[in-house]
Amino acid sequence: MWLFDRDLWLEVFATLGKNMFRTFLTMLGVIFAMVILMLLLGSSNGMSNGFDKVFAGTASNSLFIWSQKTSEPYKGFERGREINFRIEDATILKEQIPEIEVLAPRIELGSHRGKVAVYRKGRTSGSAVYGDYPEIDEITKKKLVEGRFLNKTDITDSKKVCVIGEETFKLLFDKNEKAVGEDIRINGVFFKVVGIYKPNNNINIDGENAVFIPFSTFQKAFGSGDRMGWMAISVNKDTPVPIVEEEIKKLLKNKYDISPTDERGIGSFDMSEIFNNISGFTMVLKGFSFFVGIFTLLAGVIAISNILLITVKERTKEIGVRRALGATPKIVKRQIVLEAIVLTAFAGLIGFAISVGVLTLLDYKFGSGEEFPFVDPMVSISQFLISFLLMVSLSVLIGLIPANRAIKIKPIEALREE
Amino acid sequence: MIEIKDLHKSYKMGSNSLHVLKGINFSVKEGELVAIMGSSGSGKSTLLNILGMLDELDKGSYELDNVPIKNLNETKAAQYRNKFLGFVFQSFNLINYKSAMENVALPLYYQKVGRKERQEKALKYLEQVGLKQWASHLPSELSGGQKQRVAIARALAAEPKVLLADEPTGALDSKTSYEVMDLIQKINDAGNTILIVTHEPDIATMCKRIVHLKDGVIIEDKNVEQVRAEKYV
């Protein structure tokens, strides 16, 4: 097997080694091409990872539904009627639409996104106050800096506990004060703080200045009865969110006598849409990087072929001597092609090593950046292998050009004295 | 060993055809040392190229060791060259980035001889030409005479039927030329068949037979009293 022929490799390395400088210059093109390809791929990977981090903690296949005012008259109702969801809607939806995995009802004190005065020892914060179920944590994850989030017992016992945002904490407490275990007052009712959360520096639906209390406690404390503000819903992974969204709306419109064509009666927000847009964007980015990189690589390999073509011309005499001494065309061809492969592979590996270094440096500098979505910029093994194999097969094809030129050299022409 | 009958060769130069060899009849027996002489343009190099399978004949026949040499493809020609012929060139044509030993071992490499055996044989032939201690040197570190001796060792290494030397002393001063001729004579004494192309009469007289070429035909073919080169060394 010629692949393990030590002498063949020695021949190849001897020829490449005799003109180190030119060999190096020849490789430079491929090294750069490989660096560009790997950096592009690595950066787009980093970008994609960065977006993943931004959305970490938010279920991608989720949607939010809330009630609004109708915009069309229907079944004798006038337009502009205010719709209010009932808590039983949650049960009905869960029963009738099996694609729903998690449904977390929520109620808000005051108007939507409105501020409510929250007191503690003479301080006031204007915060949003939500009545929530612990399940909300499965749809939009809260990063807790202290204490815990709401749990099932809080609901069943209607405990007067609350989880506050960091911003709320700053407004109500001193910097080094311990908040967990302390009481705050909302609308004359006292709630004990059990946890503080930090904004996720990602998709932030609830804001940082907010107080979460158990849904059941909210009903009792503020007399909201069976009203419900909105629902956060996560959907079975295999079902597209818009389909479920339609089903839910149809069901609710029917229940609340809203015209099927009324776009305003029920508001909704499809989270998956954002995810799809972003993953589409990163896909395009990755594809583009690969495209650009591969063509750069092709240019690099063609440069190698070009140099080998010149080398073959220079080595005319040497090749002629070899032919006179019994080298068959096949041997000559194989050697030139092998030179192309070795040059390309070696340059590719150097380029790979450089780009891994650069990517590590980039990761070190920007990788943990909170403000820029750039996490863990690195190429995957398969990306590297595909590029590398593609590059080597290109070099074989392109190495055949100088190799065929070399075997066209007739020993007699090569040996003719000048 | 060599049988040539009615050999013709012409080259096309644009619309003109140059008839270089016009019917050569020529045979060489085993163990002969033949000088092919002639002025430039006489066709002696063309004859050698055809003998060396570096060029093809147009008409006639050529047998080497009873093997007809005809219509060879490049691969077959390379194999025959490797098996039957050893070449010595005027400008040595050593591969400049390979040591003396590696140069000598090269034809054996193309015969697919194992690495160890190759090195042993190369050293043996380098010893025969008196350059064993120079085995690891590059051609650039050797003198002209030494280079030619390495080239002769290389030609011998494949143990060919015939040694073809094209002006082997053309690039050497007379003293070194005689040294090289002394070596060639000794190799011939050992039974090797050797053909030398030269235009120097004193070199020719050191062979056993002189063939004169002029305008593509043999005008003289005579056996001569060999002048031993060692007298001048």
Side-chain angles (χ1 to χ4, degrees):
Chain A
M1 179 75 180
W2 60 267
L3 200 61
F4 302 109
D5 185 353
R6 185 174 158 212
D7 299 296
L8 181 62
W9 291 104
L10 284 177
E11 285 278 295
V12 168
F13 283 110
T15 11
L16 293 179
K18 72 173 170 165
N19 198 337
M20 281 309 244
F21 185 64
R22 187 169 59 196
T23 304
F24 172 72
L25 283 184
T26 311
M27 283 163 55
L28 220 52
V30 172
I31 293 178
F32 283 146
M34 194 66 177
V35 168
I36 287 171
L37 174 61
M38 290 292 117
L39 285 188
L40 280 173
L41 282 179
S43 306
S44 42
N45 283 352
M47 205 92 147
S48 154
N49 292 343
F51 283 125
D52 282 353
K53 193 189 162 198
V54 166
F55 294 116
T58 306
S60 59
N61 52 336
S62 57
L63 73 152
F64 304 90
I65 303 254
W66 59 91
S67 53
Q68 298 178 158
K69 283 180 182 170
T70 58
S71 65
E72 283 178 32
Y74 189 64
K75 286 192 178 171
F77 291 107
E78 274 183 47
R79 54 182 289 185
R81 174 168 57 103
E82 188 149 352
I83 304 295
N84 276 311
F85 291 155
R86 304 278 145 196
I87 190 70
E88 83 239 18
D89 296 345
T91 331
I92 294 169
L93 286 177
K94 275 193 102 168
E95 269 170 11
Q96 305 219 355
I97 302 170
E99 287 88 356
I100 292 176
E101 273 189 344
V102 177
L103 195 155
R106 164 179 287 184
I107 188 157
E108 203 173 339
L109 198 56
S111 61
H112 179 61
R113 293 249 150 157
K115 301 290 179 197
V116 176
V118 179
Y119 302 96
R120 180 188 170 259
K121 287 186 181 167
R123 299 191 196 195
T124 318
S125 78
S127 310
V129 176
Y130 300 117
D132 259 301
Y133 278 91
E135 284 86 352
I136 189 73
D137 208 34
E138 289 174 39
I139 297 165
T140 61
K141 189 91 190 150
K142 298 271 172 301
K143 245 195 222 166
L144 286 170
V145 284
E146 234 185 303
R148 60 171 178 85
F149 194 66
L150 304 174
N151 61 26
K152 277 219 169 78
T153 345
D154 295 336
I155 298 284
T156 46
D157 299 353
S158 306
K159 283 188 183 164
K160 284 180 182 163
V161 292
C162 68
V163 175
I164 61 175
E166 226 176 17
E167 189 67 28
T168 318
F169 169 78
K170 278 181 195 153
L171 291 165
L172 295 177
F173 294 86
D174 287 333
K175 211 178 174 192
N176 296 319
E177 222 175 329
K178 201 162 167 51
V180 174
E182 294 291 313
D183 281 343
I184 59 170
R185 185 160 57 90
I186 306 162
N187 277 9
V189 184
F190 283 96
F191 294 89
K192 192 160 74 175
V193 176
V194 291
I196 301 169
Y197 75 88
K198 199 172 120 184
N200 243 344
N201 70 54
N202 53 29
I203 295 181
N204 202 341
I205 301 152
D206 310 319
E208 303 164 32
N209 185 4
V211 177
F212 292 88
I213 62 175
F215 196 91
S216 53
T217 319
F218 190 103
Q219 286 174 312
K220 285 178 187 156
F222 306 123
S224 61
D226 59 354
R227 276 189 291 120
M228 172 171 69
W230 56 290
M231 289 172 277
I233 297 167
S234 83
V235 172
N236 185 320
K237 278 248 182 278
D238 308 320
T239 321
V241 174
I243 289 174
V244 183
E245 188 182 0
E246 270 316 298
E247 266 187 79
I248 293 171
K249 277 191 170 177
K250 209 172 135 194
L251 203 145
L252 289 174
K253 276 179 179 171
N254 193 29
K255 183 166 184 272
Y256 289 103
D257 297 323
I258 304 167
S259 161
T261 52
D262 193 341
E263 297 287 336
R264 302 280 299 276
I266 294 168
S268 63
F269 179 72
D270 177 1
M271 206 67 180
S272 71
E273 208 176 309
I274 296 184
F275 280 88
N276 291 341
N277 286 346
I278 299 250
S279 59
F281 170 70
T282 50
M283 275 288 279
V284 168
L285 197 68
K286 277 184 195 178
F288 182 71
S289 307
F290 209 75
F291 190 74
V292 170
I294 287 297
F295 277 91
T296 323
L297 213 55
L298 184 67
V301 176
I302 288 175
I304 284 196
S305 167
N306 251 327
I307 298 282
L308 282 177
L309 219 49
I310 296 168
T311 322
V312 163
K313 196 123 188 94
E314 268 177 22
R315 282 161 60 192
T316 301
K317 192 151 192 168
E318 180 204 317
I319 292 168
V321 173
R322 285 171 182 274
R323 293 287 295 278
L325 293 179
T328 56
K330 201 174 128 198
I331 292 175
V332 174
K333 199 170 175 173
R334 187 163 65 200
Q335 182 170 344
I336 308 273
V337 171
L338 218 55
E339 280 171 26
I341 297 175
V342 167
L343 275 178
T344 317
F346 202 59
L349 288 177
I350 291 177
F352 177 64
I354 292 174
S355 37
V356 166
V358 172
L359 286 172
T360 311
L361 202 74
L362 280 179
D363 189 25
Y364 176 75
K365 266 202 114 71
F366 304 109
S368 54
E370 305 268 312
E371 65 287 330
F372 190 63
F374 198 68
V375 175
D376 205 8
M378 199 44 76
V379 284
S380 65
I381 299 276
S382 58
Q383 279 175 330
F384 167 67
L385 281 182
I386 288 173
S387 324
F388 192 72
L389 285 179
L390 208 65
M391 187 179 77
V392 170
S393 12
L394 273 179
S395 74
V396 174
L397 285 179
I398 284 178
L400 283 172
I401 301 170
N404 283 328
R405 173 71 63 86
I407 61 167
K408 283 211 186 88
I409 296 172
K410 288 243 163 67
I412 176 170
E413 284 161 25
L415 294 171
R416 189 165 286 158
E417 303 295 335
E418 279 92 44
Chain B
M1 185 60 71
I2 292 176
E3 258 325 307
I4 285 183
K5 279 186 188 131
D6 194 31
L7 175 70
H8 284 265
K9 177 72 187 176
S10 49
Y11 289 106
K12 282 206 167 59
M13 311 279 262
S15 55
N16 297 334
S17 176
L18 191 64
H19 206 170
V20 183
L21 297 177
K22 304 162 180 169
I24 303 269
N25 288 293
F26 173 60
S27 65
V28 178
K29 284 189 272 305
E30 195 169 348
E32 276 197 278
L33 176 54
V34 184
I36 299 172
M37 287 197 72
S39 55
S40 73
S42 61
K44 60 184 192 304
S45 287
T46 306
L47 179 60
L48 197 77
N49 285 335
I50 290 171
L51 290 175
M53 297 175 225
L54 297 171
D55 209 346
E56 275 179 43
L57 50 86
D58 291 344
K59 218 181 110 193
S61 70
Y62 168 27
E63 271 180 28
L64 179 60
D65 199 25
N66 297 323
V67 179
I69 307 299
K70 212 176 176 190
N71 299 330
L72 299 178
N73 63 29
E74 286 291 340
T75 308
K76 203 79 194 151
Q79 284 163 355
Y80 278 12
R81 280 198 290 269
N82 187 264
K83 208 164 99 187
F84 292 132
L85 302 168
F87 288 92
V88 177
F89 305 98
Q90 179 176 357
S91 51
F92 326 126
N93 284 337
L94 298 176
I95 292 172
N96 54 24
Y97 56 91
K98 285 178 174 288
S99 71
M101 187 179 70
E102 287 170 331
N103 264 292
V104 175
L106 198 59
L108 297 170
Y109 169 63
Y110 294 130
Q111 281 182 355
K112 298 188 169 66
V113 173
R115 186 175 175 74
K116 242 186 116 186
E117 196 188 336
R118 224 158 58 211
Q119 290 183 344
E120 278 167 14
K121 272 195 172 173
L123 278 178
K124 189 184 117 191
Y125 284 102
L126 274 177
E127 190 173 19
Q128 197 178 332
V129 301
L131 287 174
K132 197 182 181 185
Q133 67 274 35
W134 296 86
S136 59
H137 287 249
L138 289 174
S140 56
E141 296 161 340
L142 303 174
S143 70
Q146 286 172 323
K147 280 184 203 168
Q148 197 58 298
R149 271 145 68 192
V150 171
I152 291 169
R154 180 175 68 182
L156 290 173
E159 285 160 7
K161 307 270 184 210
V162 178
L163 219 61
L164 297 174
D166 190 3
E167 304 272 7
T169 58
L172 303 173
D173 61 51
S174 45
K175 187 178 178 292
T176 324
S177 296
Y178 296 144
E179 281 169 13
V180 167
M181 280 314 291
D182 181 38
L183 179 63
I184 287 176
Q185 284 178 342
K186 280 175 179 152
I187 291 163
N188 175 243
D189 292 344
N192 288 290
T193 314
I194 305 175
L195 262 79
I196 297 174
V197 164
T198 182
H199 63 272
E200 295 168 71
D202 57 333
I203 297 299
T205 54
M206 290 174 180
C207 298
K208 292 172 177 170
R209 176 180 162 197
I210 297 175
V211 175
H212 258 280
L213 243 75
K214 197 177 178 189
D215 299 330
V217 286
I218 293 172
I219 53 163
E220 193 186 16
D221 188 344
K222 61 175 181 193
N223 291 321
V224 291
E225 189 67 31
Q226 189 181 35
V227 179
R228 295 301 293 191
E230 57 197 349
K231 282 195 285 185
Y232 302 98
V233 176

